[in-house]
Amino acid sequence: MESTAATTPLPLDIPLPLPADPILLQALLVVLFLWHILFVNLMVGGSLLTVVFELIGRRRPEFDALARATAGTVTVNKSLAVVLGVGPLLGLNVLYTVHFYSANALTGAAWISLVPLVTLAFLVTYAHKYSWDRLAGRKGLHLAIGMAGAAMFLAIPLIFLANINLMLFPARWLEVRGFASALALPNVWPRYLHFLAASVAVTGLFLLVYFLRPGGGVAASPSALDRLALRRLFYGIALGASALQLMFGPLVLITLPRPGLSWFLAGVIGVGVVLAIFALVLMWREIAAPRANATPRAAIVVALITATAFTMGYGRHVYRETALRDHRAQMAVHTRDTGWLAAAAQWREATGQGVAQVPLGQRIFESTCAACHGVDRVLVGPSLREIAGIYGGDPGGIAAWAADPGRKRPELPPMPAFRLGEEKLRAVADYMLQLGSGGSPAEDG
Amino acid sequence: MDFPIFHLDVFGNRLLIAAIASLHVVINHMLAVGAAPLIAFLEWRGYATGDERWDRLAYRLLFICFIVTTSLGALTGVGIWLSTSLVNPHAIGSLIRVFFWAWFSEWIVFVTEVALILIYTLSWRTDWARRHKRAHLGLGVALAVASWLTMAVIVAILGFQMDTGVWTVDPGFWTAVLNPLYLPQLFFRTPFALVAAGLFALAVTGRLTRGDPEFRGRAVRTISAWTLLFCVPWLAAAWGYWQAIPARMLDNVSTALTTLAFQQYLDPLRLLIGASLGAVVLACAWGVGAPRRLPSAVLVVPAVLAVWQLAYFERVREFIRKPDIVAAYMYSNALRPADYPLYAQDGLLAHATYASVRAVTGENRIQAGREVFRLACSRCHTTRGVNGIVAKLAGLYGPGAWDPAVLDTYLAGMHNARPFMPPLPGTATERAALADYLIALRHDPAGLDGAQTAGAAGSTR
């Protein structure tokens, strides 16, 4: 504890048991996260490609139809991205409660702005999709709406990324001043670029399979572009974006802070890279081939990319676990020790050690009434002198008032009721009368 | 204590959660849980009578619900989570440990619900739906069931926060779920949602069917009858729920209704609540009896009242559970009563992970007092914004000078003076420092910054 206390905060963990074996929870997290990120990719990539297609569509109308069909996928995928995000978020919350919430608080303004930002992005996306015909004559405006939506979809992942990154580095928590400074930590931007390229690549593959699925026939084709051209287009997008990863991937790896690195991690990532290279080669060859269907080859490409995504997702998890290992171990010790201290203090209090034996009336008065009633002066309510003047010799009257106060002095606020029971109220009434009539057992401080 | 403290010094942390959560409840009850069965019912009417107009009305209602629930509805749901984890991470973190599998199953149902509403809406006008109307109707029924189930799970957690029941002595998943307030609250919310949805449908049906007075009359009558039908279990369940609420919470009701400042309006307000319930019932009766005479503008009024009732009910429910955030386990200031003896012995600051000072000394009294305020009061109070502490104290001690000794006495017994506040944790020295800070705060224009701007260690300005 001493060794790191100066720079690294050492909070207590939540003192309740985990709801399941951590291995099970971790497995859930990794798998559920992949489903979530798939639809996030399709949402971000889809909204970007929609805008690009629509832009091209200003000169080549067949691309406008393609843009419209792509927009139709985004409104569905974005809903799935959100609902599928809840599961992994739950996993993250339960496994990394302290680390995740600390990062959230440190970037709090940006974090909470996710709610209006995502809502707005969704509504703008609906507006874009459902105004295609109505704004056909005002293409500039329609494009602007689409671009506004895409811009928001670009900002949203950055907020998540900053948090997921910040939670890994408790040693930096004390330096951070808001979202902007969390963005300045190493690794955020390379990871963001990596994510964007992945989004475009995955969306390219998705559109390929979705528009050119064998059962779909030519009718499913979204525009006057022939299937051959579409096929080349989508493969081209996927290949181009994946090729960029050959640059972004290593950048992510070298900017990762040391403590989380391990040979095992290198192995996991290495497997992913090899799989991705296979996929790249296959896509390259498919572009050249003169086929009009998505073809079974596309299934192999999708399988390879899926496997790559899995290794990357698992690699992230391995990195996270390693990076946080020491800090969590220290936290566990600290939490246990503090638990003992708290239990000991409770025991001391329960056995009366350290608590003076104060008579009942005085105890209730000091804890319950003294906040508003002083001996000689008006605090919130009247003084005890005044009360003794009214109720001298009638403690029952005080008890009755306290249990159900009326309204007498318009210049003072109303008094809340205290239904403490007859015995306690009588005791406190006796004590108040005693103090108020001057026969004070202890002077008012 | 163990998390950097996020704080909104103008808007207030409570209001952040309240705004998001009320919006979510209104949307969820009115446009999802209550609306799904109503829409399926209207679609069935169209199918059974062969009158296309029912089908068209049902679709239009659904389209509104679809747009709002899948954007604002879904996002405010996530927003409750994000905002509570900012404002009270320890509480939500604890609840997640206890209720993980409940939330997990709720999530599965939620995914199903969203998938169903997407399919139900987007397939409505396809040939498939026209040819297979029964199957499409089945989707509507499934959607209604899924929407209700998500609510049924979450209500368990809300009930638990108010009354943990036997969980404190027998901790476990099922003792937590089956807390004493679970079923009363579920029985109450279910018809409440159905009524609210009926009122929403009435409000828009007036507009959607404007050109067709004959059908408008029929639609208004049918929906009014539906709503009136559920008013009976709704009002009965409200009474049952009231009976189940622990007595200590009922003491908070008057403050929950009016805040302290407006206690003199308590009776008029009670009347207003009664009147708004009466107005809802009356409007529906009118809709059943003389639907054609009901102007569209009047149809909107009950829906507006229902929005207010839903949001207000949430405010009162959230308020009366104070001072606890998880009954008998954790106070709203995120501290556990079980740890109070430790804080009384060593000091609150000594155990705070992020406090900028660890103990009160001669020189740092004001700073130490600020840290105590941040830890013990800032979840519910701002300095000068919503529920601002300076104004609260001025209300008690007036415009003259405030006496530190008087303030100190107040702080020692604050939980008794105002039972919706938790006791002040820590030592007498810390209490005196807090009193000094509060007095100094009055003449110090700087407020209190949250970790989101000032960083984890807290501002020292």
Side-chain angles (χ1 to χ4, degrees):
Chain A
M1 177 177 171
E2 276 74 8
S3 62
T4 50
T7 50
T8 308
L10 192 55
L12 300 179
D13 202 350
I14 305 271
L16 290 171
L18 279 178
D21 191 312
I23 300 293
L24 171 66
L25 295 172
Q26 290 178 22
L28 267 178
L29 174 60
V30 171
V31 173
L32 296 181
F33 180 75
L34 275 182
W35 278 105
H36 165 60
I37 202 72
L38 169 67
F39 286 95
V40 171
N41 283 334
L42 295 179
M43 169 182 92
V44 175
S47 73
L48 283 178
L49 288 180
T50 301
V51 172
V52 173
F53 292 157
E54 195 179 353
L55 267 174
I56 302 175
R58 301 196 82 167
R59 269 195 256 117
R60 301 175 55 190
E62 66 273 23
F63 270 87
D64 192 70
L66 180 60
R68 188 171 188 170
T70 309
T73 67
V74 177
T75 45
V76 172
N77 288 333
K78 64 110 182 72
S79 279
L80 294 176
V82 166
V83 291
L84 290 175
V86 172
L89 196 60
L90 192 58
L92 206 60
N93 277 242
V94 79
L95 277 168
Y96 307 100
T97 316
V98 171
H99 294 89
F100 190 57
Y101 289 164
S102 298
N104 296 169
L106 289 171
T107 61
W111 184 244
I112 198 63
S113 70
L114 277 173
V115 178
L117 193 60
V118 179
T119 309
L120 200 63
F122 281 18
L123 291 174
V124 168
T125 313
Y126 282 134
H128 185 237
K129 174 178 156 181
Y130 288 114
S131 66
W132 215 286
D133 288 326
R134 215 168 308 150
L135 292 184
R138 304 174 63 188
K139 212 54 187 163
L141 176 63
H142 190 251
L143 256 168
I145 297 177
M147 283 178 185
M152 286 185 255
F153 280 131
L154 285 179
I156 292 158
L158 198 55
I159 299 177
F160 277 100
L161 244 166
N163 271 274
I164 295 290
N165 190 59
L166 178 57
M167 69 175 264
L168 297 180
F169 310 113
R172 312 290 296 266
W173 287 352
L174 291 181
E175 302 163 18
V176 172
R177 300 279 177 282
F179 177 58
S181 75
L183 282 183
L185 291 183
N187 204 236
V188 175
W189 291 101
R191 244 167 108 171
Y192 183 61
L193 294 175
H194 194 57
F195 159 82
L196 284 187
S199 294
V200 175
V202 168
T203 309
L205 274 183
F206 163 75
L207 294 177
L208 173 83
V209 176
Y210 180 70
F211 287 140
L212 301 181
R213 60 189 183 275
V218 187
S221 165
S223 69
L225 286 168
D226 69 15
R227 297 175 65 94
L228 204 64
L230 277 179
R231 194 169 163 281
R232 199 165 287 155
L233 174 71
F234 292 137
Y235 264 130
I237 290 170
L239 177 65
S242 306
L244 280 179
Q245 300 293 41
L246 293 180
M247 196 165 72
F248 296 150
L251 203 61
V252 171
L253 216 53
I254 42 181
T255 53
L256 271 181
R258 289 262 130 229
L261 295 179
S262 64
W263 284 113
F264 181 62
L265 176 66
V268 174
I269 300 288
V271 172
V273 172
V274 171
L275 293 168
I277 289 177
F278 272 121
L280 280 176
V281 172
L282 213 67
M283 284 194 270
W284 177 253
R285 298 198 11 207
E286 281 294 282
I287 291 186
R291 274 189 285 264
N293 270 337
T295 81
R297 291 273 165 76
I300 304 178
V301 175
V302 170
L304 285 171
I305 295 288
T306 307
T308 307
F310 185 79
T311 58
M312 297 298 164
Y314 181 56
R316 274 164 53 103
H317 177 71
V318 170
Y319 180 80
R320 182 159 56 215
E321 283 289 310
T322 326
L324 291 181
R325 192 176 44 210
D326 291 350
H327 191 243
R328 295 168 105 195
Q330 290 171 347
M331 268 173 57
V333 173
H334 182 37
T335 307
R336 204 190 50 214
D337 290 352
T338 310
W340 281 113
L341 290 178
Q346 263 182 57
W347 179 82
R348 271 195 295 277
E349 195 187 72
T351 53
Q353 293 191 31
V355 183
Q357 290 305 308
V358 183
L360 182 66
Q362 184 182 352
R363 206 162 70 221
I364 295 172
F365 178 74
E366 282 167 1
S367 69
T368 310
C369 320
C372 300
H373 295 290
V375 175
D376 311 290
R377 54 186 171 143
V378 174
L379 296 180
V380 178
S383 71
L384 296 190
R385 292 260 182 274
E386 187 184 337
I387 291 178
I390 303 173
Y391 291 101
D394 175 22
I398 296 186
W401 166 276
D404 187 13
R407 200 76 187 87
K408 275 194 182 171
R409 302 166 183 79
E411 74 282 8
L412 299 179
M415 175 177 142
F418 295 94
R419 293 183 206 92
L420 306 175
E422 193 52 32
E423 185 209 1
K424 288 182 178 168
L425 285 179
R426 279 305 283 264
V428 76
D430 286 337
Y431 180 75
M432 284 168 81
L433 286 179
Q434 209 178 350
L435 271 184
S437 55
S440 59
E443 257 319 316
D444 171 46
Chain B
M1 289 292 274
D2 300 300
F3 299 85
I5 297 183
F6 172 88
H7 180 67
L8 295 176
D9 205 37
V10 177
F11 200 56
N13 300 311
R14 290 163 66 215
L15 194 54
L16 174 73
I17 298 180
I20 297 178
S22 314
L23 199 56
H24 181 71
V25 170
V26 169
I27 294 174
N28 169 279
H29 286 22
M30 202 175 228
L31 302 183
V33 176
L38 175 60
I39 288 165
F41 167 68
L42 294 176
E43 187 187 12
W44 171 80
R45 279 228 69 176
Y47 173 69
T49 60
D51 186 343
E52 275 280 321
R53 290 175 297 180
W54 290 110
D55 197 83
R56 219 170 313 137
L57 176 63
Y59 176 73
R60 288 191 170 163
L61 288 175
L62 176 63
F63 191 73
I64 300 175
C65 295
F66 168 75
I67 296 287
V68 179
T69 57
T70 56
S71 56
L72 198 56
L75 265 302
T76 45
V78 178
I80 294 180
W81 199 1
L82 301 192
S83 57
T84 50
S85 61
L86 283 178
V87 172
N88 206 329
H90 203 147
I92 189 79
S94 307
L95 287 171
I96 288 182
R97 299 239 163 156
V98 177
F99 282 98
F100 178 82
W101 291 112
W103 251 304
F104 191 81
S105 357
E106 192 261 348
W107 173 62
I108 303 279
V109 185
F110 177 48
V111 175
T112 319
E113 182 191 348
V114 170
L116 281 170
I117 197 171
L118 284 169
I119 303 174
Y120 188 48
T121 313
L122 299 178
S123 72
W124 193 300
R125 296 180 145 180
T126 61
D127 284 341
W128 173 83
R130 262 182 223 114
R131 270 185 279 115
H132 302 90
K133 202 61 189 168
R134 290 179 74 95
H136 190 259
L137 259 170
L139 285 173
V141 174
L143 174 63
V145 173
S147 309
W148 182 80
L149 275 177
T150 58
M151 180 184 81
V153 177
I154 293 300
V155 167
I157 300 164
L158 297 179
F160 180 76
Q161 284 186 271
M162 293 171 79
D163 191 346
T164 36
V166 295
W167 178 81
T168 41
V169 284
D170 179 15
F173 177 71
W174 287 109
T175 51
V177 170
L178 298 175
N179 58 77
L181 280 181
Y182 176 40
L183 290 180
Q185 202 176 143
L186 186 61
F187 287 150
F188 171 67
R189 280 180 192 268
T190 305
F192 198 173
L194 290 161
V195 168
L199 298 177
F200 150 75
L202 276 181
V204 284
T205 297
R207 290 188 60 84
L208 292 180
T209 57
R210 226 170 345 181
D212 185 353
E214 189 268 333
F215 179 65
R216 179 180 181 278
R218 275 206 278 156
V220 166
R221 170 170 287 158
T222 302
I223 301 174
S224 298
W226 158 283
T227 312
L228 203 55
L229 181 71
F230 291 112
C231 280
V232 179
W234 174 41
L235 297 176
W239 182 81
Y241 184 17
W242 183 263
Q243 299 304 313
I245 295 176
R248 69 183 161 80
M249 286 188 202
L250 295 181
D251 288 344
N252 283 341
V253 168
S254 63
T255 317
L257 286 172
T258 61
T259 77
L260 291 174
F262 300 103
Q263 293 279 286
Q264 69 268 36
Y265 300 120
L266 195 56
D267 286 332
L269 190 80
R270 287 206 179 107
L271 255 167
L272 197 70
I273 296 173
S276 83
L277 297 179
V280 164
V281 175
L282 260 178
C284 294
W286 188 0
V288 174
R292 297 236 199 156
R293 298 257 182 82
L294 210 53
S296 292
V298 173
L299 281 176
V300 176
V301 176
V304 174
L305 289 177
V307 169
W308 175 71
Q309 287 163 356
L310 277 168
Y312 202 57
F313 161 69
E314 291 306 320
R315 136 102 194 167
V316 171
R317 184 189 55 70
E318 281 286 306
F319 190 97
I320 61 174
R321 68 166 158 67
K322 289 182 186 4
D324 294 344
I325 195 155
V326 179
Y329 178 74
M330 184 181 282
Y331 290 131
S332 292
N333 57 14
L335 304 176
R336 299 182 313 151
D339 292 332
Y340 265 56
L342 183 64
Y343 303 145
Q345 173 193 296
D346 301 353
L348 182 65
L349 298 176
H351 288 283
T353 307
Y354 294 102
S356 61
V357 292
R358 296 269 139 204
V360 185
T361 64
E363 297 82 62
N364 74 5
R365 298 182 63 79
I366 303 292
Q367 191 187 346
R370 181 191 294 119
E371 295 300 307
V372 173
F373 178 78
R374 191 196 303 281
L375 291 163
C377 320
S378 75
R379 298 308 79 205
C380 306
H381 289 286
T382 64
T383 55
R384 284 189 182 72
V386 176
N387 208 18
I389 195 73
V390 173
K392 291 288 145 194
L393 289 169
L396 286 182
Y397 301 119
W402 299 346
D403 181 342
V406 169
L407 206 55
D408 189 71
T409 319
Y410 180 84
L411 293 172
M414 55 182 277
H415 54 294
N416 293 312
R418 293 293 178 197
F420 48 75
M421 290 198 273
L424 176 69
T427 61
T429 325
E430 288 174 332
R431 190 171 69 226
L434 173 60
D436 287 352
Y437 165 70
L438 292 174
I439 289 170
L441 180 65
R442 202 178 173 195
H443 304 293
D444 171 10
L448 185 77
D449 286 335
Q452 75 274 22
T453 50
S459 83
T460 47
R461 47 168 232 212

